[in-house]
Amino acid sequence: MTVDLVGFLGVVLVAYVVPGPDFLVVVRSAAEDPSKGRAAALGAQTGLCVHMLAAAAGLSVIATRSPMVYDAIKLMGAAYLVYLGVRAVLAARRAARERRSTNEPAPHATQEAGPAQGGFRSAFTQGFLTNVLNPKAALFFLSVLPQFVDGDGPPARQIFFLGMLDVVIGVAYWFALVVVAARLRALLARPKVRHRWELTTGWLFIALGVSVAAAA
């Protein structure tokens, strides 16, 4: 089995460096707690595994060649991103109202956190759904990844190999990002900073969701 590893690694690294919905989920979760950030990262990569296995089995061909299936996945992903954004914005506004009413930080102000709220399982689920409902991830495994496959070898085996390499690289990248993002925790302990952070990231989620829904 011969594949263009150098070219593939270059494409994968660029894809991870460019921020997307999974980037925002992991950073928000890591800023809340490093363990939640790692859980969100593992969830995001598990979502990629679903697309990778579907591509290797040829199922993604059916999804991407059927406009109805593709649109359904796209709209579900967009709705989920908007949900995360609205949830974060409402949490920020609720915490701000409680601070104003008591003239002190709300007891749960540093615990209310859109996508990272609810512990390891919740963060994992949010990372997973963000990627598994992302049609662009399916298209990557279906259209971009096969460009690095050797035509003389079994395509399913090569797609699986490249897909697992992508997933492993992603885990290493996300875990390194978690270490960096976790340093935001001290800064976010300040109620006003936390409020701006929640509002900003919440609206970013909403903007991403609208963008996904509007994309052709």
Side-chain angles (χ1 to χ4, degrees), residues 147-170:
Q147 297 180 30
F148 302 95
V149 171
D150 178 16
D152 296 331
R157 181 181 175 186
Q158 294 181 71
I159 289 176
F160 181 79
F161 170 74
L162 292 175
M164 289 307 300
L165 185 60
D166 182 354
V167 170
V168 171
I169 292 173

Side-chain angles (χ1 to χ4, degrees), residues 15-42:
Y16 278 113
V17 170
V18 177
D22 48 1
F23 178 92
L24 196 54
V25 169
V26 172
V27 170
R28 279 179 54 87
S29 299
E32 186 71 14
D33 185 273
S35 64
K36 293 181 181 179
R38 289 188 288 270
L42 292 175

